[in-house]
Amino acid sequence: MQSENTLFVGGPLDGRVLPVLVGPTGKPPQWYEIPVPDADGGAPAVHAYRLEPAGHSKRLGLPRGWKYTYVPEGREPRRWPWSKPRPTA
């Protein structure tokens, strides 16, 4: 398996560069979640990071590297395209 050193921005991993496994296309996963165990033995807290391009090339605008940005509200639940819209309150 190949890995790529990826920068983490914000949250508990701010400024760290960690190796992240990449897929067959060479791109890291869209979300990176880190479970942190609770000291009291309860449910672990999950810190979520979203993948973003670190920069773009001048000519074609292609992404040059990747970084993970902290999302404090966490990962939004997946929705199927054919499901009913959520009711607005």
Side-chain angles (χ1 to χ4, degrees):
M1 304 270 338
Q2 290 185 349
S3 64
E4 179 179 323
N5 290 335
T6 308
L7 175 68
F8 284 81
V9 178
L13 295 178
D14 188 27
R16 293 189 185 182
V17 177
L18 299 174
V20 176
L21 294 176
V22 295
T25 60
K27 183 177 175 185
Q30 189 69 28
W31 287 90
Y32 194 84
E33 295 177 338
I34 302 162
V36 178
D38 189 0
D40 299 332
V46 177
H47 298 288
Y49 287 85
R50 182 181 26 232
L51 184 69
E52 294 180 356
H56 296 283
S57 64
K58 290 182 180 180
R59 281 187 132 173
L60 299 176
L62 299 174
R64 301 187 84 187
W66 302 98
K67 67 179 178 180
Y68 280 106
T69 304
Y70 182 65
V71 181
E73 59 272 3
R75 184 177 182 175
E76 56 195 35
R78 290 187 179 163
R79 293 186 35 93
W80 297 105
W82 55 82
S83 59
K84 293 181 183 177
R86 294 183 184 156
T88 56

